[in-house]
mmCIF file of all heavy atoms in Angstrom:
data_model
loop_
_atom_site.group_PDB
_atom_site.id
_atom_site.type_symbol
_atom_site.label_atom_id
_atom_site.label_comp_id
_atom_site.label_asym_id
_atom_site.label_seq_id
_atom_site.Cartn_x
_atom_site.Cartn_y
_atom_site.Cartn_z
ATOM 1 N N ASP N 161 -4.098 -0.883 -2.862
ATOM 2 C CA ASP N 161 -2.844 -0.553 -3.557
ATOM 3 C C ASP N 161 -2.462 0.890 -3.225
ATOM 4 O O ASP N 161 -1.317 1.176 -2.912
ATOM 5 C CB ASP N 161 -3.013 -0.687 -5.078
ATOM 6 C CG ASP N 161 -3.278 -2.126 -5.484
ATOM 7 O OD1 ASP N 161 -2.506 -2.997 -5.049
ATOM 8 O OD2 ASP N 161 -4.269 -2.378 -6.198
ATOM 9 N N TYR N 162 -3.460 1.779 -3.354
ATOM 10 C CA TYR N 162 -3.198 3.189 -3.106
ATOM 11 C C TYR N 162 -4.260 3.777 -2.171
ATOM 12 O O TYR N 162 -5.447 3.481 -2.330
ATOM 13 C CB TYR N 162 -3.276 4.017 -4.402
ATOM 14 C CG TYR N 162 -2.328 3.606 -5.501
ATOM 15 C CD1 TYR N 162 -2.706 3.745 -6.836
ATOM 16 C CD2 TYR N 162 -1.055 3.105 -5.229
ATOM 17 C CE1 TYR N 162 -1.850 3.384 -7.874
ATOM 18 C CE2 TYR N 162 -0.195 2.740 -6.258
ATOM 19 C CZ TYR N 162 -0.599 2.867 -7.568
ATOM 20 O OH TYR N 162 0.243 2.514 -8.582
ATOM 21 N N VAL N 163 -3.806 4.610 -1.240
ATOM 22 C CA VAL N 163 -4.746 5.418 -0.461
ATOM 23 C C VAL N 163 -4.497 6.878 -0.836
ATOM 24 O O VAL N 163 -3.383 7.392 -0.682
ATOM 25 C CB VAL N 163 -4.568 5.214 1.057
ATOM 26 C CG1 VAL N 163 -5.556 6.090 1.828
ATOM 27 C CG2 VAL N 163 -4.766 3.745 1.430
ATOM 28 N N PHE N 164 -5.528 7.512 -1.388
ATOM 29 C CA PHE N 164 -5.432 8.916 -1.803
ATOM 30 C C PHE N 164 -6.071 9.808 -0.741
ATOM 31 O O PHE N 164 -7.117 9.461 -0.192
ATOM 32 C CB PHE N 164 -6.219 9.148 -3.107
ATOM 33 C CG PHE N 164 -5.528 8.698 -4.358
ATOM 34 C CD1 PHE N 164 -4.394 7.898 -4.322
ATOM 35 C CD2 PHE N 164 -6.013 9.087 -5.606
ATOM 36 C CE1 PHE N 164 -3.759 7.487 -5.488
ATOM 37 C CE2 PHE N 164 -5.382 8.687 -6.778
ATOM 38 C CZ PHE N 164 -4.262 7.888 -6.725
ATOM 39 N N PHE N 165 -5.478 10.972 -0.519
ATOM 40 C CA PHE N 165 -6.081 11.959 0.382
ATOM 41 C C PHE N 165 -6.433 13.208 -0.409
ATOM 42 O O PHE N 165 -5.546 13.838 -0.989
ATOM 43 C CB PHE N 165 -5.096 12.352 1.494
ATOM 44 C CG PHE N 165 -4.930 11.314 2.566
ATOM 45 C CD1 PHE N 165 -4.059 10.250 2.403
ATOM 46 C CD2 PHE N 165 -5.659 11.388 3.753
ATOM 47 C CE1 PHE N 165 -3.904 9.282 3.395
ATOM 48 C CE2 PHE N 165 -5.513 10.426 4.745
ATOM 49 C CZ PHE N 165 -4.629 9.366 4.568
ATOM 50 N N ASP N 166 -7.722 13.540 -0.428
ATOM 51 C CA ASP N 166 -8.102 14.853 -0.960
ATOM 52 C C ASP N 166 -8.094 15.834 0.215
ATOM 53 O O ASP N 166 -8.612 15.521 1.286
ATOM 54 C CB ASP N 166 -9.500 14.822 -1.593
ATOM 55 C CG ASP N 166 -9.829 16.159 -2.240
ATOM 56 O OD1 ASP N 166 -8.943 16.733 -2.896
ATOM 57 O OD2 ASP N 166 -10.966 16.656 -2.077
ATOM 58 N N MET N 167 -7.484 16.974 0.011
ATOM 59 C CA MET N 167 -7.247 17.894 1.125
ATOM 60 C C MET N 167 -7.680 19.305 0.767
ATOM 61 O O MET N 167 -7.671 19.687 -0.398
ATOM 62 C CB MET N 167 -5.747 17.929 1.439
ATOM 63 C CG MET N 167 -5.184 16.562 1.741
ATOM 64 S SD MET N 167 -3.405 16.483 1.473
ATOM 65 C CE MET N 167 -2.819 17.466 2.838
ATOM 66 N N GLY N 168 -8.008 20.086 1.789
ATOM 67 C CA GLY N 168 -8.259 21.505 1.571
ATOM 68 C C GLY N 168 -6.935 22.205 1.296
ATOM 69 O O GLY N 168 -5.868 21.600 1.372
ATOM 70 N N PRO N 169 -6.984 23.495 0.977
ATOM 71 C CA PRO N 169 -5.759 24.174 0.561
ATOM 72 C C PRO N 169 -4.912 24.756 1.690
ATOM 73 O O PRO N 169 -3.927 25.425 1.432
ATOM 74 C CB PRO N 169 -6.297 25.297 -0.324
ATOM 75 C CG PRO N 169 -7.668 25.576 0.198
ATOM 76 C CD PRO N 169 -8.196 24.303 0.766
ATOM 77 N N SER N 170 -5.263 24.518 2.947
ATOM 78 C CA SER N 170 -4.558 25.234 4.022
ATOM 79 C C SER N 170 -3.276 24.526 4.457
ATOM 80 O O SER N 170 -3.048 23.359 4.147
ATOM 81 C CB SER N 170 -5.467 25.382 5.240
ATOM 82 O OG SER N 170 -5.315 24.282 6.100
ATOM 83 N N LEU N 171 -2.445 25.286 5.192
ATOM 84 C CA LEU N 171 -1.257 24.696 5.808
ATOM 85 C C LEU N 171 -1.548 24.457 7.293
ATOM 86 O O LEU N 171 -0.677 24.564 8.143
ATOM 87 C CB LEU N 171 -0.060 25.628 5.628
ATOM 88 C CG LEU N 171 0.549 25.634 4.227
ATOM 89 C CD1 LEU N 171 1.401 26.875 3.995
ATOM 90 C CD2 LEU N 171 1.388 24.386 3.980
ATOM 91 N N GLY N 172 -2.792 24.146 7.596
ATOM 92 C CA GLY N 172 -3.228 23.943 8.976
ATOM 93 C C GLY N 172 -2.866 22.565 9.514
ATOM 94 O O GLY N 172 -2.197 21.768 8.849
ATOM 95 N N SER N 173 -3.360 22.298 10.732
ATOM 96 C CA SER N 173 -2.887 21.106 11.440
ATOM 97 C C SER N 173 -3.450 19.794 10.879
ATOM 98 O O SER N 173 -2.805 18.754 10.978
ATOM 99 C CB SER N 173 -3.209 21.231 12.934
ATOM 100 O OG SER N 173 -4.592 21.396 13.101
ATOM 101 N N ILE N 174 -4.647 19.831 10.278
ATOM 102 C CA ILE N 174 -5.185 18.594 9.683
ATOM 103 C C ILE N 174 -4.301 18.197 8.496
ATOM 104 O O ILE N 174 -3.866 17.052 8.379
ATOM 105 C CB ILE N 174 -6.652 18.785 9.209
ATOM 106 C CG1 ILE N 174 -7.566 19.022 10.411
ATOM 107 C CG2 ILE N 174 -7.133 17.586 8.404
ATOM 108 C CD1 ILE N 174 -8.982 19.413 10.055
ATOM 109 N N ASN N 175 -4.032 19.175 7.635
ATOM 110 C CA ASN N 175 -3.202 18.870 6.464
ATOM 111 C C ASN N 175 -1.781 18.484 6.855
ATOM 112 O O ASN N 175 -1.158 17.629 6.223
ATOM 113 C CB ASN N 175 -3.198 20.048 5.496
ATOM 114 C CG ASN N 175 -4.507 20.129 4.728
ATOM 115 O OD1 ASN N 175 -5.335 19.227 4.834
ATOM 116 N ND2 ASN N 175 -4.697 21.186 3.979
ATOM 117 N N ARG N 176 -1.266 19.099 7.915
ATOM 118 C CA ARG N 176 0.071 18.714 8.389
ATOM 119 C C ARG N 176 0.066 17.238 8.799
ATOM 120 O O ARG N 176 0.978 16.482 8.438
ATOM 121 C CB ARG N 176 0.478 19.596 9.570
ATOM 122 C CG ARG N 176 1.843 19.217 10.139
ATOM 123 C CD ARG N 176 2.283 20.201 11.202
ATOM 124 N NE ARG N 176 1.291 20.306 12.257
ATOM 125 C CZ ARG N 176 0.977 21.444 12.889
ATOM 126 N NH1 ARG N 176 1.585 22.565 12.586
ATOM 127 N NH2 ARG N 176 0.066 21.453 13.831
ATOM 128 N N ALA N 177 -0.989 16.832 9.518
ATOM 129 C CA ALA N 177 -1.068 15.435 9.961
ATOM 130 C C ALA N 177 -1.183 14.484 8.773
ATOM 131 O O ALA N 177 -0.603 13.397 8.771
ATOM 132 C CB ALA N 177 -2.244 15.252 10.918
ATOM 133 N N VAL N 178 -1.910 14.901 7.740
ATOM 134 C CA VAL N 178 -2.029 14.056 6.535
ATOM 135 C C VAL N 178 -0.660 13.931 5.852
ATOM 136 O O VAL N 178 -0.219 12.838 5.501
ATOM 137 C CB VAL N 178 -3.073 14.628 5.536
ATOM 138 C CG1 VAL N 178 -3.021 13.874 4.219
ATOM 139 C CG2 VAL N 178 -4.476 14.579 6.122
ATOM 140 N N LEU N 179 0.030 15.058 5.703
ATOM 141 C CA LEU N 179 1.317 15.043 4.993
ATOM 142 C C LEU N 179 2.375 14.269 5.777
ATOM 143 O O LEU N 179 3.209 13.569 5.192
ATOM 144 C CB LEU N 179 1.780 16.474 4.697
ATOM 145 C CG LEU N 179 0.914 17.209 3.662
ATOM 146 C CD1 LEU N 179 1.211 18.695 3.644
ATOM 147 C CD2 LEU N 179 1.092 16.623 2.264
ATOM 148 N N ILE N 180 2.338 14.354 7.090
ATOM 149 C CA ILE N 180 3.291 13.592 7.911
ATOM 150 C C ILE N 180 3.025 12.092 7.764
ATOM 151 O O ILE N 180 3.943 11.276 7.804
ATOM 152 C CB ILE N 180 3.216 14.051 9.392
ATOM 153 C CG1 ILE N 180 3.907 15.409 9.535
ATOM 154 C CG2 ILE N 180 3.838 13.021 10.342
ATOM 155 C CD1 ILE N 180 3.777 16.066 10.912
ATOM 156 N N ALA N 181 1.756 11.746 7.518
ATOM 157 C CA ALA N 181 1.398 10.320 7.427
ATOM 158 C C ALA N 181 1.778 9.690 6.095
ATOM 159 O O ALA N 181 2.028 8.493 6.008
ATOM 160 C CB ALA N 181 -0.106 10.169 7.629
#
Side-chain angles (χ1 to χ4, degrees):
D161 295 309
Y162 301 147
V163 179
F164 282 12
F165 285 83
D166 185 42
M167 304 158 71
S170 90
L171 284 161
S173 58
I174 294 172
N175 285 352
R176 178 174 56 217
V178 171
L179 291 167
I180 285 173

